Amino acid sequence: MTPKKRPGPEEAPDTLAHLYLNPKNSSWANFGFWKDTEDYPTACKTLALLLGEKADLKPEQEVLDLGFGCGDQFFVWKEKFSLPFSHLTGINPSEVQVEFAKNRFRSMKEDSPKLICASFENAITAFQEESFDRILCLDSAYFFQDRIRFCEEAFRVLRPKGRLVSVELILRDEPLGFLDSLFRKWVCKLSGIPSRNRVTPNSLSLILERTGFKTEGFTFLEENVFRGFSKFLSEKTRAGQNEIPEKIAKKYESFGKFLGGERMKRYFQFVLYSAEKA
């Protein structure tokens, strides 16, 4: 069960600030898939379902979730695909998010997921070869430090025919002018996207193929992602209509405006893909 205590204004800059976007007993923190909905938890759940369907999740599989946030998707995958919590391992570098997620499972009688607080790079190297059937990244892979190293480690710990499945923000392939290129780099830096992980569809395809993965191409979702999340943030941060602290509300409002603008469309895409270990 989600703890009743929510972060106060003094805690909001920490990594639980996304709780202000959620209703009670919900702690989603992804862009969401906004087709046929204006509700944030529904949009986030739909994105998690799309990822699970792409991964072809089965109850017997061992699954590694990288960047699991507060773990809302675990309940979705258990309900939809009968994936037991005991078959789930999650890695998240945020201590406060990991502790929040652990609190949700402590009162449950059944086994809980194995939740690890560590950097992705350090944690994944600790696993033995061929440990998992699926590696899932729900709106998280663009925060990894080094895409090439990550793909190599993912390939190593996956079993034969295992899959790396991700839904994430990436850069567009189309060339930009000098000023736009500088501005996009600034946006990436501000958003915490490391320089060695700023991939486009073409560069990501090459990395996956050179690592040994067999790819199926990309499904582009941005038309049902950017605008919907932008509209939600605009409404959520409207003055006098929410409990979000002013500083946090202004950050979300600014992000929402950029998200719904033309530059976002020219700079970024939102993709879903699966890569199988041959």
Side-chain angles (χ1 to χ4, degrees), residues 162-183:
R163 298 186 196 175
L164 166 63
V165 189
S166 178
V167 59
E168 61 177 281
L169 187 73
I170 64 174
L171 280 59
R172 280 190 174 272
D173 273 312
E174 291 78 1
L176 297 174
F178 178 73
L179 291 179
D180 271 330
S181 180
L182 282 180
F183 190 79

Side-chain angles (χ1 to χ4, degrees), residues 1-277:
M1 179 181 294
T2 304
K4 293 182 179 179
K5 182 178 181 296
R6 298 174 75 84
E10 71 280 2
E11 298 172 275
D14 208 336
T15 52
L16 287 178
H18 62 274
L19 292 185
Y20 286 116
L21 301 179
N22 285 269
K24 186 178 180 180
N25 296 325
S26 176
S27 54
W28 289 102
N30 64 59
F31 274 81
F33 186 79
W34 296 86
K35 186 177 181 180
D36 301 325
T37 187
E38 294 184 355
D39 178 68
Y40 184 55
T42 300
C44 292
K45 179 180 179 179
T46 302
L47 194 64
L49 283 171
L50 289 173
L51 185 67
E53 289 168 356
K54 190 72 172 178
D56 191 25
L57 291 180
K58 297 288 194 303
E60 67 274 12
Q61 294 169 346
E62 290 295 331
V63 177
L64 175 62
D65 183 352
L66 298 177
F68 65 85
C70 291
D72 295 62
Q73 61 270 27
F74 297 157
F75 297 91
V76 175
W77 296 336
K78 183 176 185 296
E79 177 185 357
K80 180 67 176 180
F81 307 105
S82 300
L83 184 66
F85 291 147
S86 58
H87 285 213
L88 278 160
T89 299
I91 297 174
N92 189 337
S94 169
E95 183 177 350
V96 67
Q97 288 186 1
V98 172
E99 187 59 30
F100 185 95
K102 285 182 176 180
N103 285 335
R104 307 178 73 178
F105 294 99
R106 283 183 178 131
S107 61
M108 295 183 178
K109 295 181 180 179
E110 58 187 300
D111 292 337
S112 65
K114 182 179 180 182
L115 305 180
I116 302 169
C117 182
S119 69
F120 308 117
E121 291 76 16
N122 290 336
I124 198 170
T125 57
F127 295 116
Q128 295 182 353
E129 293 183 8
E130 301 183 3
S131 296
F132 298 99
D133 300 289
R134 298 289 186 270
I135 295 177
L136 305 183
C137 302
L138 177 60
D139 195 10
S140 60
Y142 49 102
F143 293 123
F144 303 159
Q145 287 298 314
D146 187 320
R147 181 66 64 138
I148 294 176
R149 182 186 175 196
F150 161 64
C151 288
E152 290 172 346
E153 284 298 315
F155 190 87
R156 183 183 67 82
V157 302
L158 278 171
R159 293 166 180 163
K161 302 299 181 180
R163 298 186 196 175
L164 166 63
V165 189
S166 178
V167 59
E168 61 177 281
L169 187 73
I170 64 174
L171 280 59
R172 280 190 174 272
D173 273 312
E174 291 78 1
L176 297 174
F178 178 73
L179 291 179
D180 271 330
S181 180
L182 282 180
F183 190 79
R184 185 169 68 176
K185 288 180 181 179
W186 178 80
V187 171
C188 288
K189 183 177 181 179
L190 191 66
S191 302
I193 305 174
S195 58
R196 294 178 66 86
N197 196 11
R198 296 171 191 173
V199 294
T200 68
N202 283 342
S203 65
L204 179 54
S205 292
L206 287 173
I207 291 171
L208 290 167
E209 290 171 6
R210 288 171 179 172
T211 305
F213 284 106
K214 180 182 178 181
T215 61
E216 302 174 349
F218 299 101
T219 302
F220 296 94
L221 306 178
E222 57 267 17
E223 290 300 318
N224 288 302
V225 174
F226 296 161
R227 187 174 299 176
F229 194 29
S230 172
K231 181 181 178 182
F232 166 74
L233 289 175
S234 175
E235 294 175 353
K236 189 70 176 178
T237 57
R238 193 169 296 161
Q241 296 189 26
N242 60 82
E243 299 178 354
I244 305 177
E246 184 178 359
K247 289 183 179 179
I248 302 302
K250 287 183 177 179
K251 289 182 179 180
Y252 278 129
E253 181 182 18
S254 178
F255 176 62
K257 288 180 179 179
F258 177 76
L259 191 61
E262 290 302 315
R263 273 181 163 169
M264 188 70 188
K265 295 178 182 178
R266 288 191 287 118
Y267 293 173
F268 298 101
Q269 293 180 287
F270 204 79
V271 298
L272 171 66
Y273 64 92
S274 174
E276 183 177 275
K277 180 173 180 177

